[in-house]
């Protein structure tokens, strides 16, 4: 069995090579040339394709189909009232129609979209930069030998171990203006109560703080891993040359972490951009609509008003996806310019 | 390998059995062996923490009447219920058979085809025996889709002792609230009124007080942004800036109840559903300390919205006969009298008010006349949807994030997006 597999893999790997084609004789060669690249790839790599097929199928069903359906819905006027369904004795025919790009025109013309986009970008940049800075600082502090290192690490990873909604609800209690512990402490210090979640600016501060608190452990662990892969000799050599600790950080640590940090920044940006639970559970987008980001707005479009506007929220979803794809492309291009292979 | 075959066979058998069950859904549970109801009725109840134990007990007692029916009681917090119910109804999986729906949701759910019409016999009884304004809330396009369970309206709850200490009478107008609050602040250092800032239902007495309303359903006109509406947003802001009222933009329910129960605020605007929880507070160990008055009037009149809850059956329920029987039981006179006695909730059956337990309830004595005068809302499908955009603007206005004029204007714009074609 094992031998068979390895042989097939070898064939699959080297299948395109001239020698393997030559071995099969001339007639087959012209045949496969006629069938073109795809046909030939299918014929020579059939085993690999067979292995990959289930994954492709599953991804197609759970991601591709809903995605395609979402894009289609965004081009219609579908809502809860006009999609077809049967509930018990009530049978309702589907009556929604294709409306082209009308939904996109509506959303983009609405000043709400721009407002949400601006705050979403501010929120993402703030969260990612603060989280990254804190994570880097903590990782550096933990990347040396000292007593109780394991205990510190455990404590710092804790926020990650707690389910997100539990942490967010806990924070909501802490932030409560009348009975929250934060204001009780401030009160004890003679400072008047802060309307954490009741004032637009403080609410923005609060959601960022909670998201940073939740995000730091991941950054820290990832960067700690990166730090440990930097050879200690580099630091020793730099020390011999009389480099200050800042110079060592600037010229050894940061370049050494580049690959890791670029990845975690990309991931973190995408996560934060779409960080639904923190905003929704902490402030519900409020007070008013001041902390609403694009995804929570999409949720509002889909699930708050009745009848639920499926087309409208699909439009928001597609726009969010498009924004993230553009971001990822630009990011990748800028990395490639800096010589990263990605 | 043998085990594998056995397992496959088992799965196949189960699948067959399942399809067989699915095949005769129409008959299934509904077939009455000798007229007896059987099966499971799942009820999603939205009553609050202080009320739920009582309702669970009442609901499960249904089994005493119909031993073959099992009642599955599920408490769904009111705040999330509308969404949860819609998710369950539209997907059909795990959907409840019976729901307790806010009066504002019935027309919406019915218009989407989610509700099963009430049997003709019961519908007749609803028309004949229930309070007419309660019965109206269960109807959509002339058909009855829900049976009213409780009715309510808002009133001004006050702490008798705190008001007496400050030497003020229960205020009748918002102007009087301000003077009373100043006296209370001077005397006790506590706040006068807690005005809930995170739920637009609490905005309704303010807009009715100025002679306005959210919409005029008869003329298909949005009225929230007319001068009366603007005045109402101004009043809300003014109550807070003048120091007469305290408020919150989050966790309003908990904060309001905590402030009132512990004596941090001397008054609040609330409904009968808050009574059971309020009695649990330190300040109301002596129940007589709780006073209720009509909501304070604005510059035009005093007006509170008519609210309440109806029970409705899911159109896709597999056990509709038992579900309807359960609804009838839950809205029967005996059950209504019991929930009045235990929770001070107002019955929807006219005759229930003749019962001694109901007659003697102080809360009923206050709230019944209030309910009779309460402003009936437009029972349109969009009713429930108006509250979310209104909440955003109300919160913005009350916290000063936007001006009363802007708040009223944006609320009007949002309303017209929901009510397509309205003026």
């Amino acid at each position: 069995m094992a031998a068979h597999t390895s042989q097939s893999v070898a064939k699959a790997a080297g299948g395109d090579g001239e020698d393997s084609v030559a071995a099969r004789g001339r007639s087959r060669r012209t045949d496969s040339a006629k069938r073109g690249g795809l046909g030939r790839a299918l014929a020579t790599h059939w085993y690999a394709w067979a292995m990959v097929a289930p994954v492709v199928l599953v991804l197609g069903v759970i991601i591709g189909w809903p995605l395609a359906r979402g894009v289609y819905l965004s081009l219609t006027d579908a809502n809860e009232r006009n999609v077809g369904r049967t509930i018990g004795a009530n049978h309702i025919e589907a009556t929604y129609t294709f409306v082209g790009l009308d939904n996109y025109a509506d959303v983009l013309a609405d000043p709400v979209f721009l407002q949400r986009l601006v705050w979403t970008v501010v929120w993402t940049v703030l969260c990612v930069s603060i989280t990254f800075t804190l994570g880097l600082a903590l990782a550096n502090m933990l990347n040396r030998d000292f007593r109780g290192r394991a205990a510190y690490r455990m404590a710092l990873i804790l926020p990650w171990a707690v389910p997100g909604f539990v942490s967010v609800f806990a924070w909501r209690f802490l932030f409560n203006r009348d009975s929250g512990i934060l204001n009780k402490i401030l009160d004890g210090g003679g400072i008047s109560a802060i309307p954490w979640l009741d004032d637009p600016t403080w609410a923005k501060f609060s959601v960022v703080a909670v998201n940073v608190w939740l995000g730091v452990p991941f950054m820290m662990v990832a960067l700690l891993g990166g730090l440990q892969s930097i050879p200690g000799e580099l630091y020793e050599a730099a020390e011999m040359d009389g480099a200050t600790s800042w110079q060592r950080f600037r010229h050894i640590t940061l370049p050494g972490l580049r690959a890791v940090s670029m990845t975690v920044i990309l991931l973190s940006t995408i996560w934060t951009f779409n960080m639904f639970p923190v905003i929704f559970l902490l402030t519900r987008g409020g007070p008013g609509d001041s902390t609403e980001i694009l995804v929570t707005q999409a949720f509002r479009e889909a699930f708050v008003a009745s009848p639920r506007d499926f087309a409208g929220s699909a439009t928001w979803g597609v726009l969010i996806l498009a924004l993230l794809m553009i971001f990822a492309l630009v990011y990748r291009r800028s990395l490639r310019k800096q010589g990263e292979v990605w | 390998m043998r085990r594998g075959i056995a397992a496959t066979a088992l799965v196949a058998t189960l699948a067959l059995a399942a399809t067989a069950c699915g095949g005769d859904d129409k008959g299934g549970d509904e077939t009455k062996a000798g007229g007896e109801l059987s099966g499971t009725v799942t009820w999603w109840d939205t009553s609050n923490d202080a009320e739920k134990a009582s309702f669970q007990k009442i609901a499960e007692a249904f089994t005493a009447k119909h031993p073959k029916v099992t009642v599955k009681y599920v408490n769904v917090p009111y705040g999330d219920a509308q969404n949860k119910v819609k998710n369950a109804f539209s997907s059909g999986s795990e959907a409840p058979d019976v729901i307790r729906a806010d009066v504002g949701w019935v027309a919406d759910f019915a218009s989407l085809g989610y509700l099963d019409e009430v049997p003709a016999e019961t519908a007749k009884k609803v028309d004949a025996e229930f309070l007419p304004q309660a019965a109206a809330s269960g109807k959509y396009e002339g058909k009855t889709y829900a049976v009213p369970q409780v009715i309510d309206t808002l009133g001004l709850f006050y702490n008798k002792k705190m008001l007496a200490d400050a030497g003020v009478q229960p205020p009748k107008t918002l102007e009087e609230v301000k003077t009373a609050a100043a006296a209370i602040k001077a005397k006790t250092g506590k706040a006068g009124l807690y005005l809930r800032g995170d739920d637009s239902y609490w905005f309704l007495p303010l807009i009715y007080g100025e002679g306005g309303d959210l919409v005029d359903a008869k003329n298909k006109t949005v009225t929230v942004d007319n001068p009366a509406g603007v005045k109402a947003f101004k009043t809300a802001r003014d109550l807070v800036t003048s120091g007469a009222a305290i408020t919150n933009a989050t966790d309003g329910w908990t904060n309001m109840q905590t402030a009132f129960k512990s004596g941090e605020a001397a008054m609040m605007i609330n409904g009968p559903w808050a009574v059971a929880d309020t009695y649990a507070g330190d300040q109301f160990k002596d129940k007589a300390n709780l006073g209720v008055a009509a909501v304070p009037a604005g510059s035009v009149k005093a007006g509170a919205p008519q609210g309440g809850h109806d029970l409705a059956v899911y159109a896709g329920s597999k056990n509709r006969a038992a579900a309807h029987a359960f609804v009838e039981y839950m809205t029967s006179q005996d059950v209504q009298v019991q929930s009045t006695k235990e929770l001070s909730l107002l019955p929807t059956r006219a005759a229930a008010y003749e019962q001694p337990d109901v007659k003697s309830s102080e809360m009923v004595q206050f709230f019944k006349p209030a309910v009779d005068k309460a402003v009936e809302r437009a029972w349109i499908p969009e009713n429930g949807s108006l509250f979310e955009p209104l909440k955003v603007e109300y919160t913005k206005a009350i916290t000063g994030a936007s001006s009363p004029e802007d708040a009223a204007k944006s609320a009007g714009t949002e309303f017209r997006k929901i009510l397509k074609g309205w003026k």
Side-chain angles (χ1 to χ4, degrees), chain A residues 83-94, chain B residues 113:
Chain A
V83 294
R85 63 200 179 278
T86 303
I87 298 152
N90 301 330
H91 181 73
I92 291 129
E93 292 291 335

Side-chain angles (χ1 to χ4, degrees), chain A residues 139-154:
Chain A
N140 268 297
M141 280 155 72
L142 283 180
N143 191 31
R144 59 187 76 180
D145 272 321
F146 58 90
R147 195 191 298 249
R149 185 161 93 149
Y152 277 107
R153 266 192 208 185
M154 287 291 278

Side-chain angles (χ1 to χ4, degrees), chain B residues 317-336:
Chain B
S317 163
K318 296 208 169 103
N319 206 357
R320 297 212 298 269
H324 282 296
F326 177 73
V327 169
E328 196 153 338
Y329 159 78
M330 287 302 291
T331 53
S332 67
Q333 180 134 326
D334 289 350
V335 166
Q336 295 203 352

Side-chain angles (χ1 to χ4, degrees), chain A residues 255-313:
Chain A
L257 279 180
R258 166 167 276 181
V260 177
S261 41
M262 289 304 148
T263 311
V264 290
I265 287 175
L266 178 70
L267 281 177
S268 178
T269 304
I270 293 172
W271 289 339
T272 312
F273 197 87
N274 283 337
M275 183 52 86
F276 180 82
V278 170
I279 304 261
F280 186 75
L281 297 177
L282 200 63
T283 64
R284 296 243 162 187
D289 51 6
S290 54
T291 54
E292 204 90 67
I293 57 173
L294 289 169
V295 272
T296 58
Q297 181 71 31
F299 176 83
R300 192 183 275 265
E301 299 287 321
F303 296 115
V304 173
S306 180
R308 292 171 169 187
D309 185 1
F310 298 142
S313 76

Side-chain angles (χ1 to χ4, degrees), chain A residues 177 195-203 285-291, chain B residues 194-199 203 206 232-241 245-252 390-404 407:
Chain A
R177 190 171 65 180
W196 296 107
L197 303 176
D198 292 352
D199 172 80
T201 315
W202 279 111
D289 51 6
S290 54
T291 54
Chain B
Y194 192 105
L195 180 63
R196 196 171 171 193
D198 70 332
D199 190 326
F203 174 69
L206 301 177
F233 281 109
K234 259 190 198 132
T235 313
R237 178 72 186 139
D238 179 52
L239 280 170
V240 176
T241 47
I246 51 170
T247 187
N248 275 83
T250 42
D251 291 320
L390 183 61
K391 181 188 102 178
V392 170
E393 299 309 325
Y394 174 54
T395 307
K396 274 186 178 174
I398 205 168
T399 54
S402 83
S403 73

